[in-house]
Amino acid sequence: MPGGRSHGFRWKANVRLITGCLIVWALVSYGCAILLRPLLSSIPVGGTDLGFWFAQQGSILAFIGLIFFYAWKMNRLDKQYGLEE
């Protein structure tokens, strides 16, 4: 099924996946680290508060997790459209 119409469906699925990953990353980076920092500051984690931890480490770890999630989902999409390696 490679090429033609299925290529368009695969591309749309890829764009949806990328958009979802970017939304999650933005929510973790900006939402938890900046907007929710005052609410998270009362929770101690590793000698500091959770808000500081999210601002310094959480967004990086979320981004790394999203990379692995994206690779896993793209492998499934490739198999679905017959484009696996």
Side-chain angles (χ1 to χ4, degrees), residues 60-77:
I60 295 169
L61 293 175
F63 184 67
I64 291 170
L66 284 172
I67 290 171
F68 285 106
F69 174 76
Y70 176 78
W72 174 69
K73 287 293 280 186
M74 280 308 297
N75 284 335
R76 290 183 67 197
L77 274 176

Side-chain angles (χ1 to χ4, degrees), residues 9-21 77 81:
F9 291 132
R10 182 183 173 273
W11 181 250
K12 286 181 183 181
N14 185 21
V15 170
R16 272 195 315 268
L17 179 60
I18 291 171
T19 303
C21 288
L77 274 176
Y81 289 102

Side-chain angles (χ1 to χ4, degrees), residues 27-37 40 51 54-56 59:
L27 287 174
V28 170
S29 296
Y30 294 109
C32 293
I34 297 170
L35 300 175
L36 297 178
R37 173 134 171 45
L40 298 173
F54 264 112
Q56 297 300 314
S59 59

